[in-house]
């Protein structure tokens, strides 16, 4: 039986309405930026297969390292045991992360990395409720006003955010069509808008009112990915973070998407003066080859767990915590950053994107709105149709692009690219030209 037909029989795909499902395209091979289907058609993977692929598909260096490690040690329980890939990766990450991180906690994907971050932050306040800095601050509520279990249990998050699909991650993500069926069960979160000149005062006032009750603030630094590649100002974010920090609120940077060079710097938090206390990584962590999540914490968070009281242990883990193959892939990906001049490629991509943004603005400014670029990410809003996810303009654009040999997957009416760093000048120009041709055709048929 044909693969697509067999798929239809046995497989359930993510984010995909199942009724009248368009048959998925069987991909038989990936090489560098190219995806190759069973009929031999090739597609430039201009969105890095959901923002994960850094050095291209089928990367030989990473593949060989995984193979060698698989023969040596493919998996071992990570409580009571350790292994070289986990330790080496943790050491490497601590060296390159924005200043101040001390410990690396492993999990399996982006959602678990944010889930771990939230639990780590909330339990920090639980662990310190009878001792330590938290109780001593002048701002602590008077006796008898303290909350029942946790000194602080409110989470602050941005509207329009996306932090994953598990329950905690859904709770701190914006309420949307994706979470609709679960709204009754999601925990309460204080949402504010990403900072703008107009709303900053209001957000600061809210933090000044609630600051002593807020345990943690989770944010996607500078770019909200799934929320539509929305970008916001670093200067205003610094002002917001300055106030957040004044209340000792634990800052959780969700760099699952922005990490490893996407924004032009290795981590988006490098654009900001105020560093996070916890950082979440996944997607590009292994170069996009294997599932792995990291939640790194500062020493001051970690110290709240170093305790005679065993109840203050961080009781969290996964069967595949720190899988040696995934850790090995991540080390290999980081080594590649040194071996071919990835940083130069990233800088080049950023410059090309800037120029293409200008080209789009002058040729199609009326239909391409809010053209925005941050490093290797370029996005704009198509000013046609209704502005919602289920609007089919996304499908139309994807179809047209694939016919031209380019894979893009708009988020509703938001068209964006985020290519692997190995993309060639020729391929990048083909992506740009394809996008222009699609816009041209849509605007004449609109
Ligand atoms: C993709 C994403 C997640 C979730 O990661 P998964 O690996 O898909 O679970 C969390 N946060 C951000 C910012 C993301 O882009």
């Amino acid at each position: 039986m044909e693969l697509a037909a067999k798929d239809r029989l046995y497989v359930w795909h993510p984010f995909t309405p199942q009724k009248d499902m368009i048959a998925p395209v069987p991909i038989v091979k990936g090489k560098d930026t190219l995806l190759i289907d069973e009929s031999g058609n090739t597609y430039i993977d201009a969105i890095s297969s959901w923002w994960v692929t850094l050095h291209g598909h089928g990367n030989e260096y990473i593949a060989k390292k995984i193979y060698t490690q698989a023969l040596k040690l493919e998996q071992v329980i990570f409580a009571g045991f350790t292994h070289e890939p986990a330790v080496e990766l943790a050491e490497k990450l601590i060296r390159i992360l924005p200043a101040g991180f001390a410990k690396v906690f492993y999990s399996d994907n982006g959602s678990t990395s944010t889930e771990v971050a939230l639990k780590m932050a909330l339990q920090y306040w639980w662990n310190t409720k009878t001792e330590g800095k938290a109780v001593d601050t002048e701002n602590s509520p008077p006796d008898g006003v303290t909350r029942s279990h946790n000194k602080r249990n409110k989470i602050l998050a941005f509207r329009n955010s996306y932090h994953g699909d598990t329950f905690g991650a859904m709770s701190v993500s914006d309420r949307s069509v994706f979470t609709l069926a679960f709204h009754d069960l999601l925990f309460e979160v204080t949402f504010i808008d990403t900072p703008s000149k107009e709303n900053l005062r209001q957000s600061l006032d809210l933090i000044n009112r609630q600051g002593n009750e807020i345990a943690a603030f989770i944010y996607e630094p500078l770019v909200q990915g799934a929320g539509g590649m929305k970008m916001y100002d670093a200067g205003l974010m610094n002002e917001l973070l300055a106030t957040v920090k004044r209340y000792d609120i634990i800052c959780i940077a969700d760099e699952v998407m922005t990490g490893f060079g996407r924004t032009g710097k290795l981590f988006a938090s490098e654009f900001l003066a105020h560093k996070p206390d916890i950082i979440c990584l996944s997607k590009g962590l292994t170069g996009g080859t294997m599932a792995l999540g990291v939640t790194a914490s500062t020493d001051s968070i970690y110290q709240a767990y170093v305790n005679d009281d065993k109840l203050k242990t961080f009781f969290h883990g996964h069967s595949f915590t720190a899988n040696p193959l995934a850790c090995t892939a991540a080390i290999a990906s980081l080594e590649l950053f040194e071996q071919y001049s990835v940083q130069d490629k990233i800088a080049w991509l950023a410059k090309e994107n800037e120029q293409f943004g200008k080209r789009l603005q002058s040729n199609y400014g009326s239909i391409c709105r809010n053209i925005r670029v941050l490093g290797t990410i370029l996005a704009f809003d198509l000013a046609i149709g209704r502005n919602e996810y289920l609007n089919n303009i996304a499908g139309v654009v994807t179809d047209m692009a694939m016919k031209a040999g380019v894979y893009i997957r708009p988020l509703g009416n938001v068209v964006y690219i985020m290519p692997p760093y190995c993309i060639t000048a020729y391929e990048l120009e083909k992506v740009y030209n394809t996008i222009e041709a699609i816009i041209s055709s849509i605007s004449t048929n609109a």
Side-chain angles (χ1 to χ4, degrees), residues 44 68 72 88 91 102 104-106 111 129 135 138 171 190 216 239 251 275 284 319 362 386 395 406 411:
I44 298 170
T68 309
K72 212 160 138 192
E88 190 184 335
E91 185 184 14
V104 165
F105 191 96
Y106 290 108
S111 302
K129 72 181 165 205
V135 123
E138 300 163 22
S171 293
T190 303
E239 289 189 50
C251 292
K275 303 302 176 219
S319 316
S362 63
R386 287 167 305 134
V406 171
L411 298 152

Side-chain angles (χ1 to χ4, degrees), residues 117-119 121-123 125-126 147 149-157 171-172 187-191 206-218 244 247-252:
L118 293 167
K119 287 177 71 174
L122 286 166
Q123 194 182 332
W125 291 107
W126 189 83
R147 268 125 299 263
H149 309 293
N150 219 333
K151 212 160 59 272
R152 298 193 189 197
N153 56 17
K154 275 197 177 148
I155 305 284
L156 182 67
S171 293
V172 298
F187 60 74
E188 233 181 89
V189 167
T190 303
F191 286 107
L206 182 142
I207 296 162
N208 282 323
R209 278 198 311 275
Q210 301 189 4
N212 293 319
E213 298 162 42
I214 298 172
F217 171 38
I218 185 166
V244 165
Y247 291 93
D248 292 329
I249 295 165
I250 295 171
C251 292
I252 303 171

Side-chain angles (χ1 to χ4, degrees), residues 15 50-52 108-114 161-166 169 173 218-221 223-227 229 253-258 280-283 291-293 418:
F15 302 112
W50 258 342
W51 327 340
V52 302
D108 302 337
N109 55 64
S111 302
T112 55
S113 78
T114 58
S161 60
Y162 177 76
H163 298 291
D165 286 341
T166 52
S173 300
I218 185 166
Y219 54 93
E220 294 160 273
V223 192
Q224 295 187 304
M229 296 300 155
D254 177 354
E255 296 231 24
V256 167
M257 186 275 278
T258 52
C280 305
L281 307 168
S282 187
K283 292 201 165 105
L292 183 67
M418 194 190 295

Side-chain angles (χ1 to χ4, degrees), residues 22 80 125 137 248 259 270 326 353 366 369 392 407:
I22 301 159
W125 291 107
T137 58
D248 292 329
E270 292 173 28
N353 273 344
S366 61
R369 302 273 171 80
N392 193 39
Y407 182 61

Side-chain angles (χ1 to χ4, degrees), residues 417-438:
I417 60 165
M418 194 190 295
Y421 305 147
C422 64
I423 193 166
T424 64
Y426 171 80
E427 288 169 334
L428 189 59
E429 194 53 33
K430 180 168 170 181
V431 171
Y432 292 156
N433 289 338
T434 301
I435 289 173
E436 277 202 326
I438 291 170

Side-chain angles (χ1 to χ4, degrees), residues 147-211:
R147 268 125 299 263
S148 50
H149 309 293
N150 219 333
K151 212 160 59 272
R152 298 193 189 197
N153 56 17
K154 275 197 177 148
I155 305 284
L156 182 67
F158 279 139
R159 284 197 191 90
N160 194 51
S161 60
Y162 177 76
H163 298 291
D165 286 341
T166 52
F167 262 87
M170 274 200 293
S171 293
V172 298
S173 300
D174 202 4
R175 305 291 179 265
S176 71
V177 291
F178 297 112
T179 54
L180 203 54
F182 315 104
H183 284 184
D184 292 349
L185 295 168
L186 301 182
F187 60 74
E188 233 181 89
V189 167
T190 303
F191 286 107
I192 55 175
D193 287 313
T194 51
S196 68
K197 282 203 187 80
E198 293 72 36
N199 69 27
L200 184 67
R201 188 68 259 160
Q202 202 185 336
S203 296
L204 297 184
D205 287 347
L206 182 142
I207 296 162
N208 282 323
R209 278 198 311 275
Q210 301 189 4

Side-chain angles (χ1 to χ4, degrees), residues 187-349:
F187 60 74
E188 233 181 89
V189 167
T190 303
F191 286 107
I192 55 175
D193 287 313
T194 51
S196 68
K197 282 203 187 80
E198 293 72 36
N199 69 27
L200 184 67
R201 188 68 259 160
Q202 202 185 336
S203 296
L204 297 184
D205 287 347
L206 182 142
I207 296 162
N208 282 323
R209 278 198 311 275
Q210 301 189 4
N212 293 319
E213 298 162 42
I214 298 172
F217 171 38
I218 185 166
Y219 54 93
E220 294 160 273
L222 302 190
V223 192
Q224 295 187 304
M229 296 300 155
K230 294 226 167 74
M231 300 179 187
Y232 59 93
D233 182 71
L236 295 170
M237 183 60 173
N238 274 329
E239 289 189 50
L240 193 68
L241 285 172
T243 299
V244 165
K245 291 261 174 185
R246 208 171 306 135
Y247 291 93
D248 292 329
I249 295 165
I250 295 171
C251 292
I252 303 171
D254 177 354
E255 296 231 24
V256 167
M257 186 275 278
T258 52
F260 303 100
R262 290 295 184 198
T263 63
K265 293 195 190 269
L266 200 50
F267 299 100
S269 293
E270 292 173 28
F271 287 101
L272 298 163
H274 301 282
K275 303 302 176 219
D277 306 291
I278 295 178
I279 193 166
C280 305
L281 307 168
S282 187
K283 292 201 165 105
L285 172 60
T286 59
T289 60
M290 294 194 70
L292 183 67
V294 150
T295 309
S297 85
T298 59
D299 191 54
S300 88
I301 305 275
Y302 175 71
Q303 286 305 327
Y305 291 85
V306 182
N307 208 290
D308 289 331
D309 184 351
K310 289 203 168 46
L311 290 177
K312 294 183 177 176
T313 303
F314 191 48
F315 291 112
H316 187 106
H318 300 274
S319 316
F320 285 100
T321 295
N323 172 256
L325 302 180
C327 290
T328 297
I331 294 165
S333 172
L334 290 176
E335 283 168 354
L336 283 176
F337 270 85
E338 293 145 27
Q339 289 186 12
Y340 78 108
S341 42
V342 179
Q343 310 280 9
D344 294 346
K345 281 301 292 274
I346 289 171
W348 166 77
L349 251 172

